[in-house]
Amino acid sequence: MLVEEVPKTSSSNSSTIYFTSSINLSARSVHRGGATGDEDSVGSNKKGRAKVNYNVNLLMNAQTQINDESNTGPLKSAQQVQLERLVSRRLVELNKESATASFEIPKNFAYNSIHSNSNKSRLGQTPTTKRILAARRNLNSYFEEERNLMSINTILGVNFQFIDFAEVEAAPKIKRAKVDKIYRPRLRLCCICGSQSHYSRCSNCGLYYCSVQCNNIHMESRCT
Amino acid sequence: MSKQHLVIDNGAYNIKAGFNTGEDSDVRPTKVQNALTKTKDGAIHVGNQYQAQTNNYSGIVFRRAYDQGNLTSWETEKPVWDYTFDELSPKKIFDPSITHLTLIESPFQLPQLSTNTDQIVFEEYGFNEYYRCTPASLVPWVDFGNKSNNDFMLVIDSGFTATWIVPVIYKSVHWEGVRKLPVAGKVLNGLLRELISYRHYDITDEPILINTIKEETCFIAQDFYKALNSRQKLQCEFVLPDFKTTTTGYVRKPKDTISPDAQLLRLMDERFSVPEAYYHPEIITLVQNTPLKNLTDLVVESIMACPEVARPLLSANISLVGGSTSLPNFKSRLLSELTKELPSDWLVKVVEAKGVERDEVSWRGGINLTNDDVISDITISKKEYFEHGSNWCQKQFGFKNV
Ligand SMILES: [Zn+2]
Ligand SMILES: [Zn+2]
């Protein structure tokens, strides 16, 4: 099982839930070196085996398949974990529909249906639906409550299908041919004009550019 | 009044809903934007109400019931459902107590969230009978003509939040083979928003405009590098809304004369670089060695996760579902990528349902299911629900852990 629950510590008002994950154990040496990730905390359990606490959102975004044998195979490198985290953040950013954050529903808001016989419908007909309709909870808090870890594993497992480059490198030569396909030619597009880039990437931020002109624009405006 | 069947495909982008009217195939679902919207004047609109506010499209903000593909906010969903029922039955009485509801929800919902939905269905609305399932599982119920084998179908469902690849064998989802690509309509909108805002105009607070530009101008390149080299030829001009002559904006045709102060968006590689994210997800992340698998990788994996005998049958019965598969060339590019990857003696084919829009396939399947006797065997009645408790539905309708 990839995810097992960690008994919650004192941070009771924290809105995030933490799980320990076996996928990230190999990252411990790096984390111990002091370069702790922003939302993770690292501790050791009694057996001396490092336990990595994971924000469930990150986990959800940084999960590999669970139904293959990779569980027993090499564990993810710190670099891989870092990459997956970056990708997840980026996806959250792109999935926003507009720059302005979404809004809260005002207390006095009600939709008056032509079919409802009372205008109390927003409040709920039974105690259960009252609770659901007034929940105002985010996804994290529902994950926190979910007791069926099998289900969580399944859901997280399917969520993102990452390629673990370390695993690809480690594959025996015979298997390699099969795996090599994963190294399909990557697109290198200029971050300024969108052309194909034959240059190496910007040493500062890692984006590609296609020409001296574009690089100049990049240095002036986009490079962080 | 006699019993009626209602089918709701509760998509994160829009709801497709309609009754089984018993007449044949040309009935189409009512589509309702699955959101509350707030215009700049502070007014809040439910479902499609915002569409009467075309002059207020700029700066409009959406609030959706979904969080990363999970239905978390019933305080948002309930008014939209109420609105949808009003749209469906504007005059006559809508009586859930004589209605059978077939509800389509996206796969792998957190069980507790599905249970919330079940509770709303029975306790809040009081539907008399209920069946809940995933979009893909209804696809084999659609008529794809006599050349298709509906016992083995590979459903590629690309909507708003994600692209799901779902093998459906003998009308049941083969859960072990389900794969998900985090690229779909919403991510493409995000990419387009960034590109246009960086290169042309700031449209970061124009969600409707972005979606229109995507739908009107974007396509999947059959050969990406070729397209990139001839991008000058592939350019088009999009006339931005001025809220006098146009409220949505449109693609300028060669002969169109436009007012001298009209703002034009000249789009070239944006048109196909954005949807290329299906095949080159590294575009999304700006990280060159992005460890994301692409659509081809995932489709091949999905097929290979199925029983060996079923594999060639699946590749020969691919069905495209969801609004984002309507991007021009979606089908032809997919076929050419898959043909390269799969054994050469396998047939790789996309089956099409005549006269059914891609985003209505699952809904149509749901209607056909309610015409079949089997529906009574898989349905849960209100009586059973109150007898067995709320977990009963999840036991019957939920996904299988893999
Ligand atoms: Zn350039
Ligand atoms: Zn740079």
Side-chain angles (χ1 to χ4, degrees), chain A residues 57 60-61 65-67 79-80 83-84 86-87 90-91 93-106 109 111-115 121-122 124-126 128-139 142-143 145-146 148 150-152 154-155 158-163 165 181 184-196 201 206-208 217 221-222, chain B residues 36-38 44 46 49 60-64 67-68 70 72 74-76 78-79 82-83 85-86 89-90 92-94 108-113 116 119-120 123-124 160 164 176 178-180 182 186-187 190-191 193-194 198-199 204-205 207 224-225 228 231 269 273 276 279-294 297-298 301 341 399-402:
Chain A
N57 249 339
M60 186 148 135
N61 298 344
Q65 266 170 267
I66 44 147
N67 53 345
Q79 196 195 0
Q80 174 80 14
L83 259 175
E84 294 181 1
L86 216 103
V87 171
R90 180 77 183 124
L91 281 167
E93 202 177 294
L94 286 173
N95 273 306
K96 285 185 187 136
E97 277 184 85
S98 41
T100 307
S102 193
F103 56 94
E104 288 302 316
I105 305 172
F109 168 80
Y111 173 76
N112 294 314
S113 163
I114 55 171
H115 294 111
S121 65
R122 198 189 153 192
Q125 307 285 345
T126 69
T128 312
T129 61
K130 270 198 183 79
R131 178 182 53 75
I132 296 169
L133 290 170
R136 291 176 188 255
R137 290 168 59 186
N138 62 15
L139 185 59
Y142 284 105
F143 264 103
E145 215 176 84
E146 182 58 57
N148 189 341
M150 279 286 283
S151 298
I152 291 191
T154 300
I155 293 169
V158 82
N159 236 287
F160 283 90
Q161 307 277 321
F162 285 115
I163 302 164
F165 288 103
K181 275 188 197 153
R184 63 175 180 275
R186 303 262 146 184
L187 267 189
R188 299 170 152 210
L189 298 181
C190 172
C191 66
I192 300 299
C193 73
S195 304
Q196 214 179 332
R201 59 182 93 182
L207 294 181
Y208 285 88
I217 301 175
S221 63
R222 239 193 162 176
Chain B
L36 302 180
T37 36
K38 190 176 181 180
I44 290 178
V46 181
Q49 283 178 340
I60 201 166
V61 183
F62 285 82
R63 181 190 162 93
R64 297 195 186 268
D67 186 357
Q68 299 173 52
N70 292 270
T72 52
W74 268 100
E75 63 267 28
T76 309
K78 171 85 181 359
D82 287 344
Y83 171 90
F85 298 147
D86 287 356
S89 322
K92 63 175 181 183
I93 291 164
F94 172 63
F108 293 119
Q109 293 281 306
L110 204 58
Q112 206 202 327
L113 294 171
N116 282 354
Q119 287 165 333
I120 292 284
E123 298 187 26
E124 191 63 25
F160 194 49
W164 291 95
E176 292 86 344
V178 179
R179 294 292 182 273
K180 179 185 165 190
K186 202 158 36 141
V187 162
L191 273 173
R193 173 184 66 217
E194 280 189 356
Y198 178 69
R199 294 186 184 173
T204 47
D205 273 316
F224 181 75
Y225 292 106
L228 200 57
R231 59 175 152 172
D269 49 297
S273 282
E276 190 63 18
Y279 296 98
H280 289 279
E282 63 270 20
I283 293 175
I284 310 178
T285 53
L286 308 172
V287 182
Q288 199 45 214
N289 43 355
T290 293
L292 282 176
K293 294 176 185 173
N294 72 3
D297 297 335
L298 294 170
E301 265 191 35
E341 291 296 316
F399 60 85
K400 197 177 120 241
N401 286 317
V402 290

Side-chain angles (χ1 to χ4, degrees), chain A residues 2 22-27 64-65 68-78 80-81 84 163-172 175:
Chain A
L2 275 172
S22 64
I23 60 168
N24 194 19
L25 290 181
S26 63
T64 46
Q65 266 170 267
D68 65 10
E69 314 87 315
S70 66
N71 270 342
T72 53
L75 298 161
K76 286 192 179 184
S77 66
Q80 174 80 14
V81 171
E84 294 181 1
I163 302 164
D164 190 335
F165 288 103
E167 213 171 281
V168 174
E169 311 271 11
K175 268 195 184 168

